[in-house]
């Protein structure tokens, strides 16, 4: 479900607290995931700049193209909407930066310390900010906003449950297609068709949507791809007409985004009998998962979970194949912080959502990886994806 | 189809000529569409930076995470691949910027004038460039690269024909669903399922892929959404369970991307008999299209085409409803330059690909818009999408 006004106000307050702690007077937010987080509104297509001005105190302001004035007034929980440009009878100043300067002057922030999203904000936008706000100073406060997103609220968790359920339906279809030895493209497409049907039939009130970039949009996000055998080490690549043969292992990756919240479900599947090397590797990976999962609980750091995995990889004789991380945050981005890797000291807390995906990439045959979506609970974790997690053989 | 080595070398040469004309010694390219354009390779997921260093003279270098070394060596037409980070046995320097500095020093460019993509390059990347290349100067050469992309090569046009054919199949399914008065979600999903089937059955050797952003990927791009009646002025919004009633007009938008090349097919459909206002508007829009299309030909500027449309809008009594543009470039981005608007003086040339989509947004009932994909030919244009373009009534 989409957030309500109280949920969005709590989001503003969390980000504002982080901004004040970093000495910022306001933040200009342009990343699609973040403007959605603060407003509950997406234009789907971001080719006209969409900006939220969030002062460290007080309500935010939405700066949008006149083309988006109508749709944002229908759904945005930021109610102070200032259009630029012209569209039918809706006429604002020609350029977004004129509106931006007006808003910051009105709030007494034109000479303030302004936060920006350093890892996203395009260079040309920053140049424009500096030009039209010559007395302001700018600082990267992207982390202040991202930290506020770590613990998910009720609306987000509920969306993630639906995203996970749709991903499971996709994986069921993929497993059925693999049992028929279909090609990578056919497995991927079967999963996507099944997810379309599940969305349209069971969850038509949900937004099956992802976020675009500055050039376009993402209208739908019920995605799958699949790689067979020696193609697995490509990790992510468009599927092909390659079909499996007995003794090979295929890896299917499913991502879904519902109301913008991302779930992930990935499974390795063995075709017929595996040789001894592959059988041993698959069993070891399952054991590594079993032995590491209990460390997914509040109070431990991400690095401590990774350390538990590292020990398990060594214990099972696969220390040379330890990946750089064994999971990552899930939310409005498909790959968010935190990272279940050696350098992330974030302490896990209830309401954080993650993937859990220890893997093996073994050049002689490809690789192995199950990935589940999960939420950290009061005393451990709860898997949100429910496809069987054993040595799947078809 | 994907470009071959000769096609990619011709792309390098076009961009290099533009770079030299702007006095740049090299360009650092990070935008996914552009790194694909120069290499024919996509990692699909861009969360690890992907950089092409294109000197103004000589062959480019690919800087990629070790995780992508294997897959890029399979398909990239840039053959000088320099990994950073570690992944299994593949070990490079820890950070992408270390490799970048090495490459620029090796080519004698560390104190050069370096081009960047101003409208895309994240602020933090630019900061890093400045820090590790203190003697270099930076200039926005995004337009130098984009101009090279205007005229499409044979591989791109062929991909766009397939993208258009899949979009047509999606629209056929949408029209059938609308004839049954299905909801926005059902129409959208029916179109997407049909496009999945068409891809998987008729074009399984094609990459049904789009480009991600710095946080994730886009595994598939056979997209549709649909808006009914008073929801049309939202322009782009997630579809809902809203169903049409007689006398309303529904607008369905289909985007496809094959081998990264984007097609667009949009149709307005009337349910039953329209009242006089709607009927007149629909007929006027069709007339405006008829009267403007002959201006789509080599030698005229985009602004001249728009001017022809402006006159047609006025002639038919809809001058107040003239949109800001009546079409846009199509290519590796869904909304590229050029723009069929009043301020684009680009001269149309054979091989340029565009949408043609004059529209009416009329508050009393919603709006009307057919959009087709087309290519400029030697003496005019050729439509690439083929769905009927008349007053469609179901």
């Amino acid at each position: 479900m989409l957030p309500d006004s109280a949920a969005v106000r709590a989001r503003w307050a969390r980000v504002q607290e982080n901004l004040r702690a970093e000495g910022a007077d306001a933040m200009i937010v342009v990343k699609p995931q973040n403007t959605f987080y603060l407003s509950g509104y997406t234009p789907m297509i971001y080719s006209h700049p969409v900006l939220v001005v969030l002062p460290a105190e007080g309500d935010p302001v939405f700066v949008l193209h006149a083309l988006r004035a109508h749709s944002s007034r229908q759904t945005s929980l930021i109610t102070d909407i200032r259009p630029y440009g012209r569209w039918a009878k809706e006429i604002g100043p020609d350029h977004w930066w004129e509106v931006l300067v007006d808003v910051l002057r009105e709030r007494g922030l034109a000479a303030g310390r302004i936060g920006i999203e350093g890892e996203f904000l395009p260079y040309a936008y920053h140049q424009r900010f500096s030009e039209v706000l010559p007395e302001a100073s700018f600082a990267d406060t992207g982390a202040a906003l991202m930290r506020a997103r770590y613990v998910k609220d009720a609306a987000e968790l509920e969306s993630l449950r639906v995203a996970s359920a749709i991903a499971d339906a996709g994986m069921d279809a993929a497993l059925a297609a693999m049992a028929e030895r279909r090609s990578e493209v056919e497995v991927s497409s079967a999963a996507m068709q099944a997810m379309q049907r599940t969305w349209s039939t069971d969850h038509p009130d949900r937004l099956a949507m992802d976020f675009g970039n500055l050039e376009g949009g993402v209208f739908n996000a019920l995605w799958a791809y699949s790689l067979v055998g020696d193609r697995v080490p490509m990790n992510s690549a468009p599927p092909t007409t390659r079909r499996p043969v007995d003794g090979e292992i295929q890896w299917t990756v499913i991502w879904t985004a519902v109301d913008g919240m991302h779930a992930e479900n990935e499974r390795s599947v063995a075709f017929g009998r595996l040789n001894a090397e592959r059988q041993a590797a698959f069993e070891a990976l399952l054991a590594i998962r079993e032995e590491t999962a209990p460390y997914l609980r509040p109070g431990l750091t991400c690095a401590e979970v990774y350390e538990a995995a590292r020990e398990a990889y060594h214990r099972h004789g696969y220390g040379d194949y330890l990946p750089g991380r064994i999971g990552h945050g899930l939310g409005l981005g498909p790959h968010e912080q935190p990272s279940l890797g050696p350098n992330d000291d974030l302490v896990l807390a209830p309401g954080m959502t993650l993937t859990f995906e220890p893997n093996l990439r073994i050049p002689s045959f490809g690789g192995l990886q199950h990935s589940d979506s999960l939420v950290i609970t009061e005393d451990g974790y709860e898997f949100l994806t429910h496809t069987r997690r054993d040595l799947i053989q078809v």
Side-chain angles (χ1 to χ4, degrees), chain A residues 286-297 300 305 308-309 312 326 348 356 358 374 376 379-381 383:
Chain A
L286 297 175
I288 289 165
R289 284 177 56 98
E290 281 297 310
E291 293 162 26
T292 306
Y295 291 84
L296 293 162
R297 59 174 196 259
L300 293 188
V305 181
I326 57 158
L348 294 177
F356 179 60
L374 59 85
I376 301 295
D379 56 1
Y381 65 94
F383 278 133

Side-chain angles (χ1 to χ4, degrees), chain A residues 160-340:
Chain A
L160 189 49
R161 285 182 192 281
V162 177
S164 296
I166 294 175
D168 287 352
M171 190 57 84
D172 286 348
L175 293 174
M178 282 186 276
E180 295 176 7
R181 306 292 199 268
R182 314 299 297 184
S183 74
E184 291 175 349
V185 163
E186 289 165 336
V187 170
S188 307
S189 184
M192 290 190 271
Q193 290 177 54
M195 293 194 286
Q196 284 291 338
R197 286 191 297 271
T198 302
W199 168 53
S200 172
T201 306
D202 299 343
H203 306 285
D205 51 333
R206 313 311 293 248
L207 313 185
M209 56 157 254
D210 205 332
F211 298 98
N213 53 44
L214 300 180
E215 211 164 66
V218 174
F219 303 162
N220 184 275
L222 306 179
W223 289 331
Y225 69 89
S226 194
L227 301 170
V228 180
D230 60 354
R231 288 178 39 81
V232 174
M234 297 184 81
N235 292 298
S236 58
T240 68
T241 53
R242 172 94 150 71
R243 287 168 188 270
V245 297
D246 270 5
E248 284 194 317
I249 295 169
Q250 182 158 352
W251 179 49
T252 300
V253 173
I254 290 179
W255 279 5
T256 55
V258 166
D259 309 331
M261 291 294 290
H262 290 76
E264 193 174 301
N265 179 339
E266 303 174 7
R267 288 294 183 271
S268 288
V269 170
F271 293 93
R273 186 184 295 276
L274 295 179
N275 69 19
E277 180 198 22
R278 297 173 194 190
Q279 181 79 20
F282 211 147
E283 288 171 4
L285 181 69
L286 297 175
I288 289 165
R289 284 177 56 98
E290 281 297 310
E291 293 162 26
T292 306
Y295 291 84
L296 293 162
R297 59 174 196 259
L300 293 188
T301 67
C302 292
E304 285 168 333
V305 181
Y306 182 79
E307 177 57 21
R310 199 187 64 75
E311 288 171 16
Y313 273 81
H314 281 277
R315 200 156 51 234
H316 291 279
Y318 290 88
D320 283 354
Y321 297 96
L322 178 70
R325 67 182 185 185
I326 57 158
H328 54 77
L330 282 175
L332 296 172
H335 289 113
E336 287 190 358
Q337 290 176 280
S339 183
L340 290 177

